[in-house]
Amino acid sequence: QTNMLDFVFAVDDAVTWHMMNLLKNKSHYSFLKFFGPKKISSIQRYGAGIYYNTLVPCNGRVIKYGVISTDALIEDLFHWKTLYVAGRLQKPVKILAQNENSRLQAALVSNLKSAVTAAFLMLPESFSEEDLYLQIAGLSYCGDFRMIIGEDKSKVQNIVKPNVAHFQKLYSAILQDCPQVVFKHHLGRLEIDKSPEGQFTQLMALPKTLQQKITALVNPPGKNRDVEEILLQVAHDPDCGFLVHQGRSG
C-alpha cells in the first residue's frame, strides 16, 4: 500500500497522447503543461526517451507514470541504447494491455535473451538460479563486479528474493532453449560454457550498444579493427566477464 506504483505507457503517437492527457489530467503535469503537447513530446525524446509525471494521486495511492514512444522502446529493447526501460522489463512486471505489434513482441523477447547472455558472461562456470536472477536484476545498476555492493546490493536482493517464481516464469523458456547452459536440477545449479568459443558466441549475441562499449575499452584509439576481431580477443581474455561489466557500467 505504501509503495509507489510505477507505470510505463508505450504510445505510438506521443503528441496526440499528451494532447488527450492534458485535456483529462492537466494537474498531473509540471509547469510544462503551459508549453503544450508538442513541446512535452520533444522533451520526451531526450535522455532515455521517456517523460515522467510523478506523485500523481490515484485511487488512494500515489503513482508515477512514464510515457515512451513505441519506437524508442523497441530501440532500447533491441540495442540497450540507455537500458532505462529495457532494464525494467528484464524484471517481472505486470503488462496491463498490449497491442499486436510483432516488432515489439520480438524486442521484448530479445531483451530477455540479451539479459541472460550478459549475465552468463559475468557469472562463473557454475551458479544457482538465484545467482542468475541477481545478476540480471543488477544489470541496470552500476556496482561491483560479480555482485553489487552496498545499497544497490540490498535493492537487487529485495527485487529478486521475493520474486524468484516470477523470474522463473519470465526466463524458464529462454533457459530451456539455450544450448550453452546445462541445468543440473538435482544440484539446483546451472553450468555454462566458459570456453573462448562459448564466450565469443555470447559476446556476438550481445546488444549493439554494449558490444560497442566493450570494444571501446580494449581497442586503442587509431586502431581500426572490426568488432568481431576485438570480441574474439575479449573472448580469450581471463577478464572477459569484468570487461562486460565495465562496458555495462560505462
Side-chain angles (χ1 to χ4, degrees):
Q1 288 296 311
T2 53
N3 285 357
M4 187 187 287
L5 278 175
D6 185 350
F7 293 87
V8 173
F9 302 123
V11 303
D12 293 345
D13 180 348
V15 177
T16 304
W17 196 92
H18 285 297
M19 183 175 74
M20 305 283 285
N21 200 39
L22 281 162
L23 291 171
K24 276 186 171 183
N25 302 303
K26 203 167 191 172
S27 62
H28 294 182
Y29 289 80
S30 67
F31 68 93
L32 286 171
K33 58 177 163 272
F34 301 112
F35 293 101
K38 278 190 178 170
K39 186 66 180 168
I40 293 167
S41 300
S42 68
I43 288 165
Q44 182 181 306
R45 287 196 288 272
Y46 287 101
I50 190 163
Y51 173 88
Y52 260 100
N53 282 331
T54 58
L55 302 174
V56 176
C58 178
N59 298 340
R61 298 279 298 261
V62 177
I63 69 163
K64 62 177 178 173
Y65 61 89
V67 185
I68 186 168
S69 82
T70 309
D71 286 345
L73 174 58
I74 288 169
E75 176 77 9
D76 198 36
L77 290 167
F78 273 129
H79 304 306
W80 289 9
K81 198 173 169 195
T82 68
L83 201 59
Y84 186 79
V85 182
R88 284 158 185 248
L89 290 168
Q90 291 161 359
K91 305 173 187 82
V93 298
K94 177 88 172 153
I95 294 181
L96 299 172
Q98 198 175 341
N99 65 10
E100 295 302 308
N101 183 327
S102 57
R103 224 174 138 248
L104 177 56
Q105 299 279 6
L108 286 163
V109 174
S110 170
N111 180 43
L112 297 179
K113 286 181 175 173
S114 296
V116 167
T117 303
F120 281 174
L121 283 158
M122 292 189 281
L123 284 160
E125 193 171 352
S126 173
F127 50 88
S128 71
E129 208 175 343
E130 192 175 292
D131 290 338
L132 173 66
Y133 301 141
L134 286 165
Q135 193 67 255
I136 288 171
L139 282 171
S140 44
Y141 297 94
C142 296
D144 185 40
F145 173 55
R146 294 270 182 237
M147 198 44 237
I148 315 287
I149 55 169
E151 187 194 341
D152 276 354
K153 180 170 184 176
S154 58
K155 224 187 247 183
V156 170
Q157 286 178 335
N158 291 342
I159 291 167
V160 174
K161 285 186 182 294
N163 289 301
V164 168
H166 293 298
F167 273 95
Q168 285 171 327
K169 203 172 166 188
L170 203 54
Y171 287 101
S172 63
I174 289 168
L175 292 173
Q176 276 169 4
D177 293 343
C178 180
Q180 290 189 306
V181 66
V182 177
F183 207 144
K184 301 210 164 171
H185 289 277
H186 60 295
L187 297 172
R189 298 193 72 75
L190 295 94
E191 289 186 1
I192 42 169
D193 181 3
K194 280 285 174 187
S195 69
E197 294 76 21
Q199 294 194 138
F200 179 62
T201 303
Q202 290 158 8
L203 287 163
M204 289 300 289
L206 289 174
K208 191 171 65 179
T209 305
L210 182 51
Q211 285 182 343
Q212 287 166 347
K213 287 181 175 176
I214 295 165
T215 55
L217 287 168
V218 294
N219 196 34
K223 271 211 165 186
N224 202 12
R225 295 188 296 160
D226 68 10
V227 170
E228 200 169 324
E229 190 187 335
I230 298 160
L231 292 180
L232 187 58
Q233 177 193 324
V234 172
H236 283 81
D237 193 320
D239 288 333
C240 174
F242 186 55
L243 288 165
V244 174
H245 171 80
Q246 277 189 305
R248 183 41 233 118
S249 310

